[in-house]
Amino acid sequence: MPRSILHALLILALFASMAVAQSGDVDQKRLDEVRSHYAAAQSFEKANDWVSAEREWELVIKLAPNNARAWVNFGVALNRQNKSRDALGAWTKAIELDPKLAGAHFNIGLARVRANEFAEAIIPLRRALILEQNNDGARRALVLALIGLERFQEASRELAQLLVRVPRDEKLLELAAQTFMQQDRYSEAAIVLKRRLDLGDETSQLWAQYGDALDGVSRTPEALEAYKRAVELAPDSTVTRYGLGFLYWKQNRYDEAERELTEVLRRDPKEARAAFTLGDLYLTRGEAKRALPFLELAARDYPTEFDTRFALGRALAQTGSLERGVAELRMAVQLQDAIADGHFQLGRALIQAGLGEEGKRELERARDLKNAKRVSERLPEVKP
C-alpha cells in the first residue's frame, strides 16, 4: 500500500477515535449532571423545599426526558405545592414512558381520592395493586374511593385483605364497621367494633355505633349498656342520649326512657325524634293529653311519616278532637295503606265522629289486611 494512502487512513482513524472519545465525554458529563440534580432534588425534598425540588426535577427531565421515575418525582413536587393538575400530567407522562411504574398509578389514584373524584380513582388504584399486590397505601385509597361511591361490599373485601396484614389498625377497623353497618351486616359490624374498642382510646361515637350494631342483631340489652357508656363519655350529646332513651323505650322501660328523652328536649326543645318517642310513650301509658304537644311537634318535622301522623291522630281522637284526629288518621293510611292498625284506628274514629258507613269500610279493610297477613303466615283466618 502506498505510504500516502496509509498516512491518510491513520489520520481518519485518529479523528474517528477522537470523535468517540468526545461523545463518551459528553454522555458522562450529562450523566454526572443528571446525578447531581437528582441528588439536589432529593435533598430539597427532605427539607420540604418543594419549589427548589421542582426546579431540580425539571432540570433532570430536560437532561433525561425519558426518565419515568424523574417524572413521578416531578409530579410529587408539583402536588406538594397544590399544583394538582400539573402533577397529574407529570404522572401520566411517567406511565406513558413506563406503564409498569406502580407509583405513578398510585399517585394518580390518591390525588383523585383527595379531590373527591372517586370514580376516576378506581382504575389507577386497581392498576397499582395489580403491579404491587401488597401496596397497602393503594388499597387504603381504594377503600376510601369505594366508600365514597357507596360500593360498600367491595370496600369490605378490600378492608378484609388489609386487616389480615394489620389486624390491630384502629382506622381500618372503624372503616370496616362503617361498611358493614351500611350493608346491614350488623353481626359482623359488632365483631369488628368490639375488636376496635378492645384496643382502647374509646369514644362515645364508637360505643354508640357498637350499640346500634348490637341492636341490629336483637341484642338490645347489650346495646343499651353500650349506649350507657356512650352517654358517660359524651353527656352533652343529645344524639347519643336520644339513642339511650330510645332503647329504654324499646324495652318498655318507660320511666328511664322518659328521663332521658325529657333531658334531650330540655337541651334541645325542637328535637323531633325525641318528641315523637316521648309522645308515643305517653300515648302508650294512656296519657293522650300529655302526649299531644310532643306529637304535634314531631308531625311538623316529619309530615310524611306514617308513625307521626298515626300517633297524632290517635292522640287527637282520644282527647276529643275527632275532626282533626280523623284527618290525621286519613293522612296516615294514605301514607301506608297496607298497615291494618291504621285502618282500624281510622274506622273507630270515624264511627265516633258519626260517619258509621265509612268507619265500617275501614274496619273491614283492617280485617282483610289482618287475614291476608295470617294467610301469608299460614295462620287461621279471623272470622267476621
Side-chain angles (χ1 to χ4, degrees):
M1 179 182 294
R3 184 180 298 274
S4 60
I5 296 175
L6 179 61
H7 182 68
L9 289 173
L10 288 172
I11 292 173
L12 288 173
L14 177 61
F15 277 117
S17 64
M18 289 175 62
V20 169
Q22 288 173 356
S23 175
D25 290 344
V26 169
D27 290 343
Q28 185 60 49
K29 182 180 179 182
R30 180 175 295 172
L31 181 59
D32 290 342
E33 287 183 38
V34 167
R35 287 173 176 168
S36 174
H37 291 302
Y38 210 106
Q42 290 181 320
S43 177
F44 285 128
E45 286 179 348
K46 289 178 182 178
N48 290 320
D49 184 351
W50 298 104
V51 173
S52 299
E54 175 193 347
R55 183 183 65 247
E56 293 298 328
W57 286 122
E58 196 167 15
L59 290 170
V60 171
I61 289 167
K62 285 181 180 178
L63 292 166
N66 294 327
N67 188 318
R69 293 188 181 278
W71 280 101
V72 173
N73 294 335
F74 180 47
V76 171
L78 291 166
N79 195 53
R80 289 301 186 98
Q81 299 172 73
N82 297 318
K83 300 177 181 178
S84 54
R85 293 299 162 190
D86 291 338
L88 288 170
W91 294 325
T92 301
K93 178 64 177 178
I95 290 169
E96 290 174 3
L97 293 168
D98 184 356
K100 294 184 178 181
L101 204 55
H105 294 288
F106 167 57
N107 287 342
I108 290 174
L110 184 60
R112 296 294 193 187
V113 169
R114 286 174 172 166
N116 294 328
E117 297 170 354
F118 302 119
E120 294 84 350
I122 300 293
I123 290 176
L125 290 172
R126 288 205 184 280
R127 285 176 177 163
L129 285 166
I130 290 170
L131 294 166
E132 292 181 353
Q133 187 176 358
N134 293 328
N135 187 331
D136 287 355
R139 201 173 299 279
R140 285 172 184 260
L142 179 58
V143 166
L144 295 176
L146 291 168
I147 290 175
L149 295 170
E150 299 185 0
R151 290 161 59 174
F152 300 110
Q153 188 172 10
E154 294 174 71
S156 296
R157 290 197 294 267
E158 300 298 336
L159 281 162
Q161 293 191 56
L162 285 167
L163 285 167
V164 167
R165 294 166 59 80
V166 278
R168 296 173 61 84
D169 187 295
E170 294 180 4
K171 184 62 176 176
L172 290 179
L173 289 168
E174 291 172 21
L175 285 173
Q178 178 185 340
T179 61
F180 286 139
M181 292 293 287
Q182 290 290 343
Q183 298 170 74
D184 296 338
R185 294 164 63 179
Y186 299 115
S187 180
E188 291 157 291
I191 292 169
V192 169
L193 284 163
K194 180 63 167 61
R195 286 170 57 188
R196 168 61 187 88
L197 288 165
D198 286 345
L199 295 175
D201 194 24
E202 57 195 283
T203 66
S204 173
Q205 184 178 4
L206 283 171
W207 277 106
Q209 194 175 22
Y210 185 43
D212 291 338
L214 291 168
D215 188 47
V217 289
S218 300
R219 293 164 60 182
T220 305
E222 295 172 76
L224 198 150
E225 294 303 315
Y227 259 96
K228 283 183 182 178
R229 180 61 180 148
V231 171
E232 287 176 8
L233 291 170
D236 295 330
S237 170
T238 56
V239 174
T240 306
R241 193 174 292 275
Y242 166 75
L244 177 58
F246 176 81
L247 289 172
Y248 278 132
W249 170 81
K250 190 173 182 179
Q251 291 201 294
N252 300 326
R253 294 169 61 172
Y254 293 134
D255 290 344
E256 292 150 303
E258 180 183 9
R259 180 192 67 217
E260 297 300 334
L261 295 168
T262 300
E263 178 62 19
V264 170
L265 288 165
R266 186 188 71 79
R267 295 168 181 267
D268 183 1
K270 294 183 180 180
E271 220 296 341
R273 294 179 307 164
F276 167 75
T277 308
L278 186 58
D280 190 75
L281 183 157
Y282 290 141
L283 194 60
T284 302
R285 292 200 311 204
E287 303 175 63
K289 186 175 181 180
R290 196 175 181 187
L292 197 54
F294 297 106
L295 296 174
E296 294 268 22
L297 188 157
R300 283 197 297 271
D301 274 30
Y302 298 107
T304 60
E305 293 289 331
F306 170 86
D307 289 343
T308 53
R309 306 304 286 264
F310 177 63
L312 177 58
R314 288 168 58 208
L316 288 165
Q318 290 176 30
T319 54
S321 300
L322 279 173
E323 186 176 348
R324 282 194 63 208
V326 165
E328 291 296 330
L329 289 167
R330 278 182 172 148
M331 179 59 69
V333 299
Q334 287 177 21
L335 291 168
Q336 290 285 349
D337 180 65
I339 297 177
D341 201 30
H343 292 280
F344 178 75
Q345 294 294 339
L346 176 57
R348 288 182 58 185
L350 286 166
I351 291 171
Q352 284 182 279
L355 301 170
E357 289 301 316
E358 186 182 356
K360 289 178 182 178
R361 288 195 297 271
E362 290 298 328
L363 292 176
E364 288 172 2
R365 172 68 174 152
R367 182 200 63 197
D368 292 342
L369 287 168
K370 287 181 179 179
N371 284 335
K373 184 177 181 182
R374 283 182 170 83
V375 168
S376 69
E377 295 173 350
R378 300 173 185 255
L379 295 175
E381 181 175 324
V382 175
K383 295 182 180 179

